Amino acid sequence: MQKFIGVALPVVLLSGIAQHVSATTGYFMHGYGVKAQGQAGASIAAFNDALTIASNPSGLSWIDSRVDVGATLFNPKRSAEIEGNLAGANGQYSGNGREYFVLPEFAINKKVNGSVALGLAIYGNGGMNTTYKRNPYAAFGNTGEAGVDLSQVFVSPTVAWRYSENQSIGIATNFLYQRFEAKGISGFAPFSNDGKNLSNKGKDSATGIGVRVGWSAKLNDVVTVGANYASKIDADKFDKYRGLFAESGDFDVPESYGIGASFRLTPALTVLADVQRINYSDVDSVGNPFSLASVMQGNTFGSEKGQGFGWKDINVYKLGASYQVNPQLTMRAGYSHNDQPIPQDQTFLNILAPGVIKDHVSLGATWDIDRAQELSVAYTYGLKETVKGNQSIPTAFGGGEANLEMDQHILGISYGVKF
């Protein structure tokens, strides 16, 4: 127990204070747990470690009692271009004020008996970070560095119940802690209902609570299926940014759900497929489109029907495979594709949050050190994606277009021990 606490406590503390996340399917993570990352996130019907809590909590029924700790290094490249603008904003802008981010993770599973398992996971749900040392909105009365910093961390105690020989259900309570900061956009105060709480207010935090439910079934020795649902989390408001986000600073976590299947084609080869849905548009501060015409009708930043980033709901499609090379080594690979959350006419405000990546390719491996210990690694490349603006900058701001671009390198490493 002392050894466990010595390993787990630092990870718990690091997870709790994680302030920077750069996620990939919009601002959600593309995969939870390093093993899942090696399969491009395909994990609804693949239960490899205790981080299954973050994708399908029922998976705890199918794995041993174990502890998993890990860390993921993100290297996102985000940039924007403004062209054809009559106000003098044209140019190339780099949002890479910070280039590297580390996101720790921790999870534990304890089999109580043949039917019940208890677990706990602490992990980053997602986020977004940009820092433009050269402010892309300077021509519109803004000064200093511009950017946003959003992070979302879940603490998820979980229970899984294997209620029949081949089926299980799991429930995780998602305790949310999120932090946010915006800077360099104070010049937009005339379009806010509370311009003093729009920008440059430092970090603010909010909490909330939701639930994630998962179900899984082993249909036979070849096919396993699973499904999950995560509720929308009605979080506390960011009071310092009540002049930015709709409904006086409200920023909730959108609901998501998905289905998956796993096919063990040979004793060594398993193929996986997931489909996930993320309903970004249900969160007004994310889904409401930015429109000056709407502002003129009273829907200013921070108001009840205030301006947002115009993100659309997306589907995410994931394919993965694992191959047991020998008793000690397992290799993984995967590919995922998601819809584009940012419409072409919403790129102007999304210079702050250019979450445009649609495709990921992944490789991973696990080395069994001995019967109880294992080491896993994964590398994912978020393929470079560009969204060209189309009627994206209002004529009142000089017109023209804002173009967004992003790609990302992701490297994860984790250690697991069975007990």
Side-chain angles (χ1 to χ4, degrees):
M1 181 59 68
Q2 289 178 337
K3 290 181 179 179
F4 164 69
I5 292 174
V7 172
L9 186 57
V11 177
V12 172
L13 294 175
L14 284 170
S15 298
I17 64 173
Q19 298 179 12
H20 305 280
V21 182
S22 295
T24 50
T25 51
Y27 61 82
F28 276 29
M29 294 285 290
H30 80 291
Y32 299 96
V34 172
K35 289 183 180 179
Q37 290 178 22
Q39 300 164 172
S43 55
I44 296 177
F47 319 118
N48 295 308
D49 54 35
L51 262 300
T52 187
I53 290 171
S55 55
N56 188 342
S58 71
L60 294 184
S61 296
W62 311 108
I63 63 174
D64 296 321
S65 296
R66 59 183 291 139
V67 175
D68 293 282
V69 295
T72 298
L73 177 68
F74 287 85
N75 174 219
K77 303 292 180 65
R78 49 262 195 244
S79 63
E81 177 189 27
I82 294 178
E83 58 183 359
N85 181 258
L86 301 180
N90 291 342
Q92 300 280 344
Y93 300 90
S94 170
N96 302 316
R98 178 174 176 178
E99 295 187 14
Y100 296 96
F101 306 86
V102 178
L103 178 63
E105 62 190 24
F106 164 78
I108 182 173
N109 180 43
K110 172 62 178 176
K111 300 295 284 291
V112 177
N113 53 45
S115 300
V116 178
L118 301 177
L120 173 70
I122 303 175
Y123 60 96
N125 180 60
M128 182 62 66
N129 174 281
T130 51
T131 301
Y132 292 91
K133 294 183 178 181
R134 179 189 174 205
N135 194 323
Y137 303 119
F140 315 116
N142 294 282
T143 60
E145 293 184 350
V148 297
D149 188 7
L150 169 70
S151 62
Q152 295 178 335
V153 176
F154 279 173
V155 179
S156 301
T158 304
V159 58
W161 175 39
R162 185 175 174 178
Y163 59 88
S164 72
E165 182 178 355
N166 66 337
Q167 296 189 63
S168 175
I169 189 170
I171 300 176
T173 302
N174 288 333
F175 293 100
L176 165 72
Y177 175 78
Q178 60 180 356
R179 298 186 69 170
F180 179 78
E181 180 180 12
K183 54 188 177 182
I185 55 173
S186 298
F188 294 134
F191 307 101
S192 169
N193 69 348
D194 188 351
K196 293 182 179 180
N197 290 286
L198 171 71
S199 179
N200 297 84
K201 300 297 290 184
K203 295 185 183 298
D204 199 3
S205 61
T207 59
I209 185 171
V211 64
R212 184 184 305 276
V213 180
W215 169 84
S216 56
K218 293 184 177 293
L219 302 184
N220 50 48
D221 292 337
V222 175
V223 181
T224 300
V225 295
N228 66 14
Y229 172 80
S231 68
K232 180 180 178 180
I233 297 180
D234 186 8
D236 299 332
K237 296 182 179 182
F238 287 121
D239 190 58
K240 292 181 180 180
Y241 293 96
R242 58 182 179 270
L244 173 60
F245 292 132
E247 301 176 284
S248 300
D250 197 39
F251 197 95
D252 300 330
V253 177
E255 72 171 356
S256 61
Y257 46 86
I259 57 174
S262 169
F263 305 91
R264 189 178 184 187
L265 302 182
T266 73
L269 176 64
T270 300
V271 176
L272 316 159
D274 286 0
V275 179
Q276 181 186 18
R277 176 79 169 179
I278 305 174
N279 290 328
Y280 285 119
S281 69
D282 285 349
V283 178
D284 288 346
S285 53
V286 177
N288 287 355
F290 173 67
S291 164
L292 278 188
S294 179
V295 170
M296 296 302 104
Q297 295 172 2
N299 299 319
T300 53
F301 285 104
S303 66
E304 190 69 18
K305 297 181 180 180
Q307 303 301 294
F309 290 83
W311 282 33
K312 300 187 298 182
D313 302 337
I314 65 171
N315 295 319
V316 188
Y317 308 94
K318 305 176 182 182
L319 289 174
S322 67
Y323 185 79
Q324 189 167 350
V325 179
N326 57 49
Q328 285 75 44
L329 178 63
T330 301
M331 302 294 294
R332 299 182 179 87
Y335 167 77
S336 72
H337 171 82
N338 56 264
D339 302 330
Q340 178 57 251
I342 300 177
Q344 290 180 283
D345 64 350
Q346 295 295 308
T347 55
F348 181 56
L349 191 60
N350 278 290
I351 291 173
L352 297 171
V356 298
I357 290 179
K358 295 169 58 178
D359 299 282
H360 307 80
V361 290
S362 302
L363 293 173
T366 295
W367 177 260
D368 290 339
I369 302 170
D370 54 36
R371 292 184 178 181
Q373 302 178 87
E374 62 188 31
L375 187 67
S376 299
V377 295
Y379 168 75
T380 299
Y381 177 57
L383 277 66
K384 182 179 292 186
E385 183 71 24
T386 301
V387 174
K388 296 281 189 179
N390 183 5
Q391 299 183 340
S392 56
I393 303 179
T395 54
F397 290 154
E401 304 297 350
N403 306 320
L404 310 177
E405 187 172 272
M406 191 181 200
D407 68 325
Q408 196 168 68
H409 299 275
I410 307 168
L411 179 65
I413 184 169
S414 68
Y415 169 77
V417 57
K418 303 173 185 177
F419 64 91

